[in-house]
Structure formats: structure tokens, C-alpha cells
Amino acid sequence: RKEVEQDPGPFNVPEGATVAFNCTYSNSASQSFFWYRQDCRKEPKLLMSVYSSGNEDGRFTAQLNRASQYISLLIRDSKLSDSATYLCVVNGAGGSYIPTFGRGTSLIVHP
Amino acid sequence: DVKVTQSSRYLVKRTGEKVFLECVQDMDHENMFWYRQDPGLGLRLIYFSYDVKMKEKGDIPEGYSVSREKKERFSLILESASTNQTSMYLCATFPESRNQPQHFGDGTRLSIL
């Protein structure tokens, strides 16, 4: 079983839609969680950290469910510029402090 | 803001050449990483370093070596480049407090002909 799993998509949604991605992790001792955004042929950039109580940044909401071992990212009112790959990152997923990356979920927002 | 600088955005080398990829960070972070990213395979960890002169193998170290002589600089070396090492190479850092996110350089797109 992979340590961090994501649905690769693509998720194809119209502008203005709400879309949600999940990411599951296998190690219950995992310590910290992040969502990154990666544009085509560019480096990953931190979108937001994920806190136990859930957190919001504008149109983006991240949540952590430790009991079921997944994190989620919700994007409201999707924009064309949200089209990208979203990477889930878990520190400690492999039993060490090394970050483990999911393979990413592709989002395409169309007019 | 953390600044992670990779020496080249694009690089073309020939099979058999020794290739050096350099990464420099300005935030005094202890931990530095080298990844490669290929379509459909995600990010794969090549090597990482948690201190000067310390290095650990990641998931795919074969064909690579690293050097960390100074805290701010982490070099990836392809001893004898091969065509299957054509890839996007990404350097990342994070501080000793390991619950922090990583910061990435812009990446080096390396082509081996």
C-alpha cells in the first residue's frame, strides 16, 4: 500500500464550481500535512498547511481527519487560474520525518 | 521568504558526462533534498542531507551522488550521465523543526543526449 495516495484525476469542472480532493495516508503517527500546487513544468509551491481543526484561506479550505487518516482540499468558486496539479504532502508518513508526496491530482477548470 | 536557487533552469549534456547540479538556500535550513520528477511517477527522492557533510540515500540513489560541504549548498552529481536520467530535478529545504513545509527551487530540466 502506498504511504500517501491521491486520485490522479483529472477533475474537469466549470468555472464557479466547487471541487474537493482527498488524500489518504497510511501511517497514523504522521505529524504534519500540506497541500502544494504545481503548474505545468514548474516547481511545487506551498498552497496551505493543514491543521487539526481545519483551516481556510479565501476560497480554499483544508481539513484533517486523523481517525480515517485523510486530508482534504476544498476549492470554492473555481477560477480558470486554479487549473494545476495539487500535491498532498505528509511529514512522517514513512515512519521518519521525511516528507512523502502523493502523485498529485490534476484539476482543469474550463469556461 | 526562503530563497532556494538552482544553478540552471535548463541543461543539455551528453551521455557519459559528469554533471553537477547546484542548489543554494539562504535561510540556514538544516535539511536539504534532491528529487526528480517524471510524468506519471511523481516526485522521487534521490538523496537528502540533514547537516553539513551528512547525507542519506533516498528511494532512487543509483547513478547519483551528493555533496554538502557548506550548510547552504547541496550539490547533486550524475557520475556518468545516461539518457534515463533525463528529467526535472528539484531541490528543496526545510528547517530543523520538521513539522514545517518544504521550500523548492525553480527546478532544473536536464536533457541527456
Side-chain angles (χ1 to χ4, degrees):
Chain A
R1 181 183 172 186
K2 286 187 177 299
E3 294 163 347
V4 177
E5 292 200 63
Q6 295 182 253
D7 180 345
F11 285 63
N12 217 311
V13 303
E15 271 186 291
T18 295
V19 62
F21 312 132
N22 281 346
C23 167
T24 58
Y25 60 95
S26 56
N27 186 348
S28 60
S30 297
Q31 298 168 349
S32 47
F33 310 86
F34 309 96
W35 284 103
Y36 281 72
R37 171 196 169 123
Q38 187 173 25
D39 294 294
C40 189
R41 303 175 76 85
K42 297 284 186 73
E43 78 278 17
K45 291 186 177 177
L46 179 67
L47 180 65
M48 57 198 304
S49 303
V50 186
Y51 302 120
S52 297
S53 54
N55 47 297
E56 192 173 301
D57 183 1
R59 298 182 293 109
F60 299 84
T61 301
Q63 293 197 309
L64 167 64
N65 185 319
R66 282 198 182 272
S68 300
Q69 293 180 208
Y70 73 87
I71 65 173
S72 63
L73 178 68
L74 180 80
I75 305 175
R76 288 182 299 278
D77 188 23
S78 299
K79 312 289 184 193
L80 297 177
S81 57
D82 292 334
S83 298
T85 297
Y86 291 84
L87 301 171
C88 162
V89 182
V90 179
N91 286 11
S96 74
Y97 73 98
I98 304 302
T100 301
F101 286 76
R103 291 196 179 180
T105 297
S106 175
L107 172 66
I108 301 169
V109 182
H110 58 83
Chain B
D1 250 6
V2 177
K3 183 70 176 172
V4 182
T5 304
Q6 292 185 230
S7 50
S8 307
R9 290 297 301 274
Y10 301 95
L11 204 54
V12 180
K13 295 291 183 180
R14 297 205 173 273
T15 303
E17 281 192 71
K18 191 168 186 175
V19 181
F20 293 85
L21 302 183
E22 304 285 347
C23 176
V24 178
Q25 51 106 352
D26 67 355
M27 284 301 291
D28 205 35
H29 285 177
E30 284 74 14
N31 301 283
M32 297 187 75
F33 302 79
W34 275 106
Y35 296 90
R36 64 177 283 177
Q37 187 175 31
D38 302 287
L41 296 179
L43 270 80
R44 293 183 290 168
L45 181 62
I46 305 171
Y47 266 97
F48 66 98
S49 169
Y50 53 90
D51 203 350
V52 176
K53 297 192 186 297
M54 306 304 290
K55 60 186 179 185
E56 294 283 347
K57 292 180 180 179
D59 300 318
I60 52 163
E62 296 79 19
Y64 303 94
S65 62
V66 290
S67 172
R68 187 131 181 238
E69 295 297 316
K70 294 184 177 182
K71 192 174 186 179
E72 66 270 20
R73 185 180 297 269
F74 192 36
S75 304
L76 179 70
I77 304 150
L78 285 66
E79 297 291 344
S80 177
S82 63
T83 54
N84 64 11
Q85 292 179 308
T86 291
S87 187
M88 168 78 131
Y89 289 87
L90 289 157
C91 174
T93 79
F94 74 151
E96 189 170 18
S97 168
R98 294 167 177 176
N99 286 330
Q100 299 298 311
Q102 286 180 309
H103 298 268
F104 284 85
D106 290 345
T108 296
R109 194 162 288 279
L110 175 64
S111 296
I112 307 296
L113 304 179

